[in-house]
Amino acid sequence: DGMWRLRLPSGAGDDCRFDAVVIAHNGKCAERLTSSVPARDVHSLLRTRFAASLPGGGREGGGVFTLNSVYSLAFEAPAGVMPSDFDAAEVRGGPLRWLANNAAKYAPADGGGEVWTALSTGAFGKAHKVPQEQLAGTEAEAEVTAKLLRAVEAAVGL
């Protein structure tokens, strides 16, 4: 009948039926979750691999979604420390890929600094990958933060 059925554990109530299912998960987990469902066309859309870059130097991935690990670092700098001649920039070379001034979109609080976001390259993320739920307060967090802040300084000439 084209409906999806959610099977509940024994004693948890009646099974539920739905016209559609939305999987809000990263590709790797979504692929695993749908691997045994009869909707092969849906499952084939979720084929995933982890890599620091696209296969074949940027050509299409052959029907496989490429995920990479990227660090996102938000930091506050005193007003006037960072350059004022750009709001955002693609960074080439080193561990940074993107640098953006959040204050360019959202006005900073009176007397406050500017909040910036730095995104790493996929290669940097891969080289420093740790489980994200185990990052806070670790040596890895301190190392990644220090390296990205040094890369920001180098990129903007500080």
Side-chain angles (χ1 to χ4, degrees), residues 61-84:
V64 177
F65 186 56
T66 300
L67 299 173
N68 60 27
S69 299
V70 174
Y71 279 99
S72 175
L73 175 67
F75 62 94
E76 183 178 4
V81 168
M82 295 291 284
S84 60

Side-chain angles (χ1 to χ4, degrees), residues 70-74 117-120 144 148:
V70 174
Y71 279 99
S72 175
L73 175 67
T117 299
L119 299 180
S120 78
V144 165
L148 289 177

Side-chain angles (χ1 to χ4, degrees), residues 20-99:
V21 174
V22 175
I23 300 174
H25 223 293
N26 73 40
K28 183 179 177 184
C29 292
E31 180 184 14
R32 190 171 52 244
L33 288 169
T34 63
S35 64
S36 63
V37 300
R40 297 327 252 159
D41 290 342
V42 171
H43 178 71
S44 69
L45 294 173
L46 301 172
R47 291 185 16 211
T48 306
R49 71 182 192 98
F50 277 93
S53 61
L54 292 173
R59 293 189 319 260
E60 291 186 19
V64 177
F65 186 56
T66 300
L67 299 173
N68 60 27
S69 299
V70 174
Y71 279 99
S72 175
L73 175 67
F75 62 94
E76 183 178 4
V81 168
M82 295 291 284
S84 60
D85 59 343
F86 69 92
D87 295 335
E90 179 182 14
V91 182
R92 298 202 179 185
L96 285 183
R97 174 60 66 214
W98 183 255
L99 183 61

